[in-house]
Amino acid sequence: MDGEYFLGADHGRLVDLGGLGVRFKIYSEQTGGNFAVVEHPIEPGVIVEPHTHQHEDELSYVVSGTIWARVGDKEIRAPAGTYVWKPRQVMHTFWNPGPEPALIVETISPGGFERLFEQVAALLEDQEPGPSTEQDVIKLCNQYGLALDRTWLPELQARFGPMRMV
C-alpha cells in the first residue's frame, strides 16, 4: 500500500468467487500478521458454505443490504449497521436471500486467511467447474484449517429457497 493510511471505496483488488466477491483492503503483512480486512459484496441468492475456522476469528460489519447469518446455534437477520462475530472453532455461515445485493466488511484475526480467497479465485479462473475443482478447493481449505460442513444447507434452503453455494 506504499504507506497509505486512507483507503477509498475502490481501493484493493476485487475477485469473484461465484457471487461472493472479495476486495482486499488490508493484508496481514501490513499489520504484522495481526489482522486482515476484506470486503465481501454478496449477490442475492448466495450462501457461503457452512464452515469452521481452526485459527481465525472474523468480525463482519454489514455496510449495505441485509444478510442472514448463523453462528453455532444462533441465527440473525443482519441489516446494514449490524456486526456479526464468528469466533474460531464455531461453525458459521452467512447468506443473502435477496432481493438486493449486500456488502460486508470483514476483519480476520490473525491475518493470513485472506490468501485463501486469492488462491481459490486463481483456481476458479484456471479450471472448469466440476468435481476436480471442488476437490482442489477442499484441499486448499484444509491447508488453511477450514472445515466445510453442509449439514445446515437443506434446512436453510427449505426456508430461504434455493441459493448458490460459494
Side-chain angles (χ1 to χ4, degrees), residues 59-74:
L59 180 64
S60 299
Y61 176 75
V62 183
V63 175
S64 62
T66 299
I67 67 165
W68 284 75
R70 181 169 176 179
V71 181
D73 62 355
K74 305 288 184 194

Side-chain angles (χ1 to χ4, degrees), residues 126-141:
D126 293 342
Q127 294 185 18
E128 290 294 320
S132 64
T133 305
E134 186 173 335
Q135 288 305 312
D136 288 342
V137 168
I138 290 169
K139 186 177 177 180
L140 280 172
C141 290

Side-chain angles (χ1 to χ4, degrees), residues 1-15 21-31 35-41 61 63 103-108 114-115 117-118:
M1 292 183 59
D2 301 317
E4 291 182 18
Y5 293 106
F6 305 98
L7 311 175
D10 292 332
H11 178 88
R13 184 168 69 95
L14 176 65
V15 298
V22 183
R23 184 176 299 276
F24 301 93
K25 300 304 263 189
I26 299 174
Y27 283 94
S28 61
E29 293 84 359
Q30 297 169 264
T31 67
F35 67 93
V37 178
V38 298
E39 290 179 347
H40 289 305
Y61 176 75
V63 175
L103 176 66
I104 65 173
V105 172
E106 189 155 82
T107 302
I108 307 164
E114 74 278 11
R115 296 299 182 180
F117 298 130
E118 287 183 320

Side-chain angles (χ1 to χ4, degrees), residues 37-128:
V37 178
V38 298
E39 290 179 347
H40 289 305
I42 311 165
E43 293 177 7
V46 168
I47 185 168
V48 172
E49 186 166 352
H51 60 278
T52 304
H53 298 265
Q54 291 305 306
H55 311 292
E56 298 85 18
D57 297 316
E58 296 174 311
L59 180 64
S60 299
Y61 176 75
V62 183
V63 175
S64 62
T66 299
I67 67 165
W68 284 75
R70 181 169 176 179
V71 181
D73 62 355
K74 305 288 184 194
E75 186 176 287
I76 185 174
R77 178 183 176 273
T82 304
Y83 288 86
V84 178
W85 178 44
K86 299 170 282 183
R88 68 188 78 189
Q89 301 179 11
V90 177
M91 192 159 84
H92 58 275
T93 184
F94 56 95
W95 62 97
N96 178 3
E100 302 296 324
L103 176 66
I104 65 173
V105 172
E106 189 155 82
T107 302
I108 307 164
S109 176
F113 184 80
E114 74 278 11
R115 296 299 182 180
L116 172 65
F117 298 130
E118 287 183 320
Q119 292 176 357
V120 170
L123 184 68
L124 296 176
E125 288 174 6
D126 293 342
Q127 294 185 18
E128 290 294 320

